Amino acid sequence: MRDKDFDLSVHSGIKTNMWWTELKAALGQRINVEGLVSSLGFFSKDKHLAIPHVSVKDISYIDWVELKRRGFEGVVFDKDNTITVPYSLNLWSPLASSIDQCKSLFGNNIAVYSNSAGLDEYDPGGRKARILERVIGIKVIKHGKLNLLFQFCGNVSLLMSQFT
């Protein structure tokens, strides 16, 4: 609630630009020019890391037992449009049994990497990441820049080494 008799800009000389932060967050999650440009060089060197290992309509179509049998040691999910609807901090309910099966097979070797929850620029202090972790029971990788592929691989390696 805002006190009508107290205006921060009048009393302290501080003006806030929350509208700019919110606009930047909304646009920045849709267009990642820096990520596109930086990833081109990475794709030419380590193309095998950029190619999805599995492509399905949604994760309920993944045979987690088969992935484990084939030697997969962990799983990293994107958040928006993969395990949640965009900007939601709740698991998309039709995926609950698939996520539970994945957790039972891969244990702590599961993480979420997102350009919304866990990204310093759009989730300062990690509040959304903590809520998401509590709600879905999967660790969220905290990071400082938009999802650049080479940075993603380093962050995931560091995170997964902390789980073991």
Side-chain angles (χ1 to χ4, degrees):
M1 183 175 354
R2 185 176 173 143
D3 184 349
K4 292 180 182 177
D5 296 327
F6 183 77
D7 183 1
L8 183 63
S9 63
V10 171
H11 294 283
S12 67
I14 298 173
K15 293 186 178 188
T16 62
N17 285 325
M18 288 305 295
W19 68 271
W20 173 247
T21 302
E22 291 169 9
L23 177 65
K24 191 172 155 189
L27 291 177
Q29 291 179 12
R30 288 174 178 78
I31 302 168
N32 182 359
V33 176
E34 179 184 314
L36 292 170
V37 171
S38 298
S39 295
L40 289 176
F42 184 82
F43 290 146
S44 65
K45 288 189 252 175
D46 294 311
K47 197 179 295 184
H48 68 283
L49 294 175
I51 298 170
H53 290 81
V54 178
S55 180
V56 292
K57 181 178 176 183
D58 67 53
I59 65 162
S60 66
Y61 289 85
I62 297 174
D63 183 344
W64 300 112
V65 173
E66 180 63 15
L67 285 183
K68 185 76 171 177
R69 189 188 71 70
R70 289 185 181 212
F72 282 72
E73 296 179 15
V75 178
V76 178
F77 294 108
D78 183 34
K79 181 183 122 5
D80 297 324
N81 292 318
T82 303
I83 61 172
T84 72
V85 297
Y87 307 106
S88 171
L89 296 176
N90 293 305
L91 181 66
W92 187 48
S93 58
L95 303 179
S97 64
S98 183
I99 289 286
D100 288 344
Q101 184 183 28
C102 181
K103 286 179 187 178
S104 72
L105 289 165
F106 293 98
N108 287 331
N109 289 336
I110 303 172
V112 174
Y113 193 83
S114 173
N115 283 338
S116 54
L119 175 62
D120 292 341
E121 188 173 354
Y122 304 129
D123 185 18
R127 182 182 156 276
K128 292 177 189 172
R130 286 190 304 278
I131 292 169
L132 186 63
E133 287 174 341
R134 188 174 58 246
V135 169
I136 66 173
I138 298 174
K139 196 81 172 144
V140 175
I141 300 170
K142 281 63 163 199
H143 55 111
K145 291 211 178 246
L146 283 174
N147 190 346
L148 305 176
L149 191 57
F150 62 88
Q151 185 180 27
F152 164 77
C153 293
N155 285 343
V156 171
S157 297
L158 177 63
L159 174 78
M160 291 305 183
S161 69
Q162 294 171 5
F163 286 148
T164 55

